[in-house]
Amino acid sequence: MENDAMLTTSPSTLENKPTGLKLFFTRLVQQRMLVLMSIPFVIWLIIFKYVPIWGWTIAFQDYQPGLKFSEQKWVGFKHFKILFTDETFSEQFLRAVRNTLAMSGINLILGFVTAITLALLLNEVKKMAFKRVVQTVSYLPHFISWVVAAGIIQTTLAPDGIINELLKWIGVIDKGQEYLFLGKAEWFWGIFGASSVWKDIGWNAIVYLAAISSIDPAQYEAAEMDGAGRLRRMWSITLPGIKPVIIVLLIMNIGYLMESGFEPQYLLGNGMNVDYSENIDIFVLKYGLQQFNFPLATAAGMFKTVVSFILLFAANNVAKRMGQDRLF
Amino acid sequence: MANLASVSKPRKFSSRNSSLGDKIFDISIYAILTILMIVTLYPFINTLAVSFNTATDSMKGGIHLLPRQFSLENYKFVFADNSVYNATMISVLRSVIGTIVTVFASAMVAYTISRPEYVLRKFVTIAFIITMYINGGLIPNFLLIRDLGLLDSFWVYILPGVIGVFNLIIIRSFIEQLPDSILESARIDGAGDFRTFINIVLPLCLPVLATVALFSTVSQWNSWFDVFLYNSSNEHLSTLQYELQKILQNSNTTSSAESGFANSSADSNKVSPLSIRATMTIVASVPMIIIYPFLQKYFVKGMTVGGVKG
C-alpha cells in the first residue's frame, strides 16, 4: 500500500479497493468538482432520455390522456397483437416494416458502394487542387436540410424539371409524356436511394479516404515494380487496405437497419407513393399524433427500438469479436 | 523517354505500357468526378438562378444556370414578410444558443469521463452510451415535452439536445490524446478540475470543439421537425426551415394561386410560388453552405476520429 501511494500521484487508484464503500465516498468528496461537472448532466440525461423509455408503459395500457398513471387500464400485449394481426392495422404496419427494411437496405448497399468508389477515384487524382474542389463540392449537400433537399429533388423530378428535359433531349420520351416521378409508387425506393446518395456520398467517403491514406506507400511501389497497372493497384492494394474499415462499418450499419430515416420519406412522400414511402416512423407519427392512438403508435415505435437494439447489440458483438471495438 | 533507360527495367516496362492506359484512366476519373460535381451543384445553381429572375419570366421555364431577367424582387418580397424575418431571427438564435450550450456541456462532461481517477467515470460513460442504443421514440418524447410544459416555448429547441453522445465521444477521445504532462502540471500548480478544464483543456480542444460546434450549428439551423411537432401553433417560434417546409407542402397540395405566401400581398403579381420557393430555399441553405468549407479540415478530422476509432 505504501508503494502504491508513492507510485501514483493521484490518491485514487483501484488498488485501494478493499476499503470499500467508505473509501468510495471519501473519493467522491475529494472529487466533488468532477461530480458537480457531470452529475447535473446525468440528471438531464435521465429526464430527457430515460423517462421516455418509461413512457413505453403506454403501449401496454388503454391510455387515456386525462387519467393518472395508476388509473390507466393495463391491457398486456393487446396493441402489439393489433399491430400484427388486426385486419385494418396489420396490413399497414407490415407494409411500413417492409418499406423500412427495403429503404434502409437499399441505402446501406448503395451508400457503401458509391462512397467507396468515390474514395477510390479521389485517391487516384494527382492534382491536389482538383481533388480538394471535388471533395468540398461533394460535402455540400450534407450541410443542407432535408427540407431544402426535398424541395430541390421535387424541382428536379417535376414534369418540367431537368430530368424530364434531359430525357426528352436524348429522345427517351416525347413532349407530353413527361414522367411524374414522385407519383410512381414503385419508383419511390429508387428515388430515395438516389437522393440519399446525392446527399451523403461525399460525407460517407471521408472515412474511407482516411483509411486509404494510412496504407503503406511501399506497397504501391512494390506493386509498380511488379508491373501492376493503376487499376490493378486500386483493386489489389487500396481495396484490401481499407477492407477492415469497410467490414466494421458494414456490420455497424446492419445494426441500424430499422432506422431508414424519417425526413426524406415524410417530405418526399405523397398520397400517390404512400404504399412505398410510409415507413415505421411515419406510421408512428400518423397513428400517434394525427389520429391520437398513442398506445398503438408507442407499440409500433417500441417494436422498432427493440429490434434495433438487438441488431445493434449483435452487430457490436460481431465487430468486437473481430477485434475492432468501435462504440465503446 | 530516353533517360528512362537508365532506370530499372520493370519500371520502364510499366511506364511505357501504361502511358496510354494511364491517360484513359486519368481522363475517365476526371470525367466521372466532373459529372459528380455537376450533378451535385446544378440543382443549387438552378435554384439560385430562379431566385434572381423575375417571377413572371421564370414561369415560362427554361432557366438553367443564369437568370434571364435579373431581379431582386423575390428577395425584397420574402424579407418584407414579417414571418420570414421573425423565422430568421429564431433560426439564428437557436443555432447560436444551442451550439454554445452543447459545446460547453459536452466538453465538460467529456473532460470528467476522461479523468482516469474519477470514481463515477464508468457510471457516467455507460449511462450516456446506453442512450445510443435505446430511446423512447416519438410518442413518449412528445408526452414528456408536453408534461414538462415545454410545448410552445423556445427552450424546446435547446434542452432536449444539450449533449449528443457522439460529440461526447469525439471530445473525450481528443482529450485522452492530449499529453498527460500538461494536465499534471496544472494539477501541481494547484488548479482544481474546473479551472483545469476552463483554462487548459478548453483552449487545447479548439479543433475538436470547432467540429462539434459545426455539427451542432448545422443540425440546429436545419431542424424543422421539432418546430412542426412542438411549436407549430406558435408563429413567433417558427424557423426558416419550417417556413420553407410549409411552402413546399402548400405547393404540393394546393394549386399555386392558393399557396400561403403569394396571396398575402398586393405585390403578388410580382412574385410567384415558384420564385418564392426558390428564394426561400436559398435563404434557408446559404448560411450553412458558406460556413462549412472553412471548417472542412476540422470536421474531416473529427469524422475520422469518431468514425474509425470511436
Side-chain angles (χ1 to χ4, degrees):
Chain A
M1 280 293 145
E2 266 182 46
N3 267 343
D4 276 338
M6 282 168 70
L7 283 174
T8 52
T9 42
S10 70
S12 47
T13 41
L14 289 173
E15 274 90 333
N16 293 338
K17 216 175 180 176
T19 10
L21 214 59
K22 203 178 156 199
L23 189 80
F24 173 80
F25 282 109
T26 324
R27 278 201 214 134
L28 209 57
V29 174
Q30 279 170 353
Q31 299 173 349
R32 60 192 173 275
M33 197 46 106
L34 287 172
V35 174
L36 269 177
M37 288 163 75
S38 57
I39 293 305
F41 297 100
V42 174
I43 295 168
W44 167 85
L45 189 74
I46 291 167
I47 296 172
F48 281 94
K49 304 288 170 185
Y50 285 94
V51 170
I53 298 173
W54 171 250
W56 282 357
T57 48
I58 293 169
F60 303 98
Q61 302 166 339
D62 271 342
Y63 179 76
Q64 299 274 333
L67 299 180
K68 278 191 213 128
F69 182 76
S70 54
E71 296 163 351
Q72 302 286 357
K73 191 176 158 219
W74 293 83
V75 294
F77 284 90
K78 177 182 155 192
H79 298 290
F80 291 89
K81 271 185 204 137
I82 292 176
L83 278 182
F84 288 99
T85 56
D86 183 88
E87 262 178 51
T88 43
F89 291 113
S90 70
E91 196 186 323
Q92 293 204 39
F93 180 67
L94 294 176
R95 186 185 72 186
V97 173
R98 177 201 69 178
N99 290 343
T100 303
L101 291 174
M103 281 188 272
S104 56
I106 288 170
N107 211 1
L108 179 79
I109 294 164
L110 267 185
F112 263 84
V113 173
T114 53
I116 292 166
T117 309
L118 176 61
L120 289 177
L121 293 180
L122 278 171
N123 185 48
E124 295 298 327
V125 173
K126 296 292 172 286
K127 289 200 181 80
M128 288 322 263
F130 183 76
K131 186 176 172 181
R132 220 169 309 144
V133 170
V134 175
Q135 278 180 281
T136 307
V137 168
S138 72
Y139 300 148
L140 190 149
H142 180 79
F143 288 93
I144 59 165
S145 68
W146 264 111
V147 176
V148 169
I152 282 175
I153 291 161
Q154 281 167 3
T155 310
T156 309
L157 296 176
D160 58 353
I162 184 77
I163 303 281
N164 271 311
E165 254 182 80
L166 282 176
L167 289 176
K168 271 186 279 187
W169 186 64
I170 58 172
V172 176
I173 54 170
D174 292 322
K175 204 170 158 43
Q177 292 182 319
E178 289 90 356
Y179 289 116
L180 191 57
F181 286 97
L182 286 167
K184 303 242 182 210
E186 59 280 18
W187 290 3
F188 189 84
W189 294 351
I191 292 169
F192 165 77
S195 309
S196 306
V197 167
W198 177 77
K199 203 166 182 301
D200 278 328
I201 180 174
W203 187 256
N204 291 338
I206 292 178
V207 174
Y208 302 111
L209 275 169
I212 289 174
S213 69
S214 63
I215 296 173
D216 183 4
Q219 282 191 285
Y220 289 101
E221 280 157 29
E224 201 178 349
M225 293 287 191
D226 291 343
R230 284 169 67 187
L231 205 57
R232 185 64 206 269
R233 274 177 266 160
M234 199 165 157
W235 187 256
S236 312
I237 297 176
T238 316
L239 211 49
I242 60 174
K243 204 170 114 193
V245 175
I246 296 177
I247 290 174
V248 171
L249 287 182
L250 198 63
I251 293 169
M252 290 316 303
N253 276 296
I254 287 170
Y256 290 103
L257 265 183
M258 291 299 271
E259 304 284 346
S260 61
F262 165 80
E263 295 184 53
Q265 289 88 352
Y266 183 82
L267 295 164
L268 293 172
N270 57 43
M272 287 176 284
N273 61 30
V274 64
D275 280 346
Y276 288 82
S277 64
E278 186 176 291
N279 63 6
I280 301 177
D281 292 311
I282 294 177
F283 180 93
V284 171
L285 181 75
K286 197 160 117 185
Y287 284 100
L289 297 177
Q290 285 165 9
Q291 303 185 6
F292 296 103
N293 194 339
F294 286 155
L296 191 77
T298 309
M302 189 182 155
F303 169 77
K304 190 194 92 168
T305 310
V306 170
V307 175
S308 251
F309 178 78
I310 295 166
L311 282 173
L312 261 174
F313 216 75
N316 213 5
N317 271 339
V318 174
K320 233 182 213 168
R321 202 164 307 158
M322 298 180 64
Q324 307 269 353
D325 85 4
R326 200 178 88 92
L327 275 184
F328 287 101
Chain B
M1 278 293 140
N3 57 357
L4 270 180
S6 59
V7 191
S8 63
K9 220 177 170 189
R11 186 103 184 246
K12 180 185 164 192
F13 171 77
S14 97
S15 320
R16 195 202 286 151
N17 185 37
S18 55
S19 63
L20 179 67
D22 246 18
K23 241 177 209 152
I24 297 172
F25 190 73
D26 269 333
I27 290 170
S28 16
I29 284 174
Y30 281 80
I32 295 170
L33 292 177
T34 308
I35 291 170
L36 176 83
M37 283 201 286
I38 294 171
V39 171
T40 308
L41 287 179
Y42 175 81
F44 289 101
I45 296 172
N46 179 248
T47 312
L48 199 64
V50 172
S51 76
F52 279 113
N53 201 50
T54 56
T56 38
D57 181 62
S58 299
M59 305 269 260
K60 294 177 200 148
I63 292 177
H64 292 117
L65 297 173
L66 289 170
R68 204 160 36 208
Q69 291 183 4
F70 184 83
S71 140
L72 292 172
E73 275 314 309
N74 299 322
Y75 286 91
K76 277 187 198 153
F77 179 83
V78 161
F79 278 107
D81 190 294
N82 257 335
S83 61
V84 173
Y85 175 77
N86 187 59
T88 311
M89 295 319 275
I90 298 288
S91 286
V92 170
L93 261 185
R94 68 176 289 178
S95 304
V96 172
I97 297 177
T99 300
I100 293 172
V101 170
T102 298
V103 167
F104 188 77
S106 306
M108 192 149 83
V109 177
Y111 170 75
T112 66
I113 59 172
S114 74
R115 305 308 311 137
E117 76 276 8
Y118 183 31
V119 284
L120 297 178
R121 188 173 80 119
K122 267 234 162 86
F123 163 73
V124 175
T125 312
I126 289 172
F128 273 96
I129 281 180
I130 287 173
T131 63
M132 285 180 100
Y133 288 90
I134 207 153
N135 63 76
L138 184 72
I139 307 297
N141 269 308
F142 177 82
L143 295 177
L144 171 77
I145 297 293
R146 190 196 63 186
D147 294 343
L148 289 173
L150 288 172
L151 290 183
D152 283 329
S153 91
F154 177 77
W155 297 105
V156 79
Y157 302 143
I158 311 294
L159 287 177
V162 169
I163 290 180
V165 182
F166 180 75
N167 293 339
L168 200 61
I169 290 174
I170 64 171
I171 302 176
R172 187 195 61 180
S173 318
F174 193 91
I175 297 178
E176 282 170 352
Q177 283 165 13
L178 295 175
D180 279 337
S181 53
I182 298 177
L183 297 185
E184 279 313 318
S185 63
R187 205 155 299 245
I188 290 163
D189 288 346
D193 278 305
F194 189 69
R195 269 189 46 208
T196 312
F197 167 68
I198 297 282
N199 296 337
I200 297 176
V201 177
L202 270 191
L204 286 174
C205 284
L206 271 186
V208 72
L209 297 185
T211 312
V212 171
L214 176 75
F215 290 158
S216 165
T217 310
V218 170
S219 85
Q220 284 284 1
W221 180 267
N222 281 344
S223 61
W224 59 277
F225 188 60
D226 48 5
V227 192
F228 166 74
L229 205 56
Y230 304 128
N231 286 342
S232 54
S233 58
N234 191 336
E235 269 185 35
H236 298 289
L237 294 170
S238 184
T239 64
L240 272 180
Q241 303 294 334
Y242 187 53
E243 289 301 309
L244 178 64
Q245 199 262 330
K246 284 196 283 190
I247 291 173
L248 295 181
Q249 197 117 47
N250 277 338
S251 55
N252 276 350
T253 53
T254 59
S255 72
S256 49
E258 290 174 75
S259 64
F261 250 106
N263 58 3
S264 65
S265 158
D267 268 349
S268 58
N269 57 341
K270 275 191 193 163
V271 294
S272 70
L274 173 78
S275 51
I276 292 215
R277 192 174 141 163
T279 312
M280 280 295 282
T281 302
I282 297 298
V283 172
S285 55
V286 149
M288 297 304 110
I289 293 177
I290 290 173
I291 61 168
Y292 88 86
F294 295 101
L295 291 161
Q296 193 167 328
K297 82 169 184 232
Y298 294 126
F299 69 69
V300 168
K301 213 178 272 169
M303 273 298 285
T304 36
V305 170
V308 183
K309 286 189 190 157

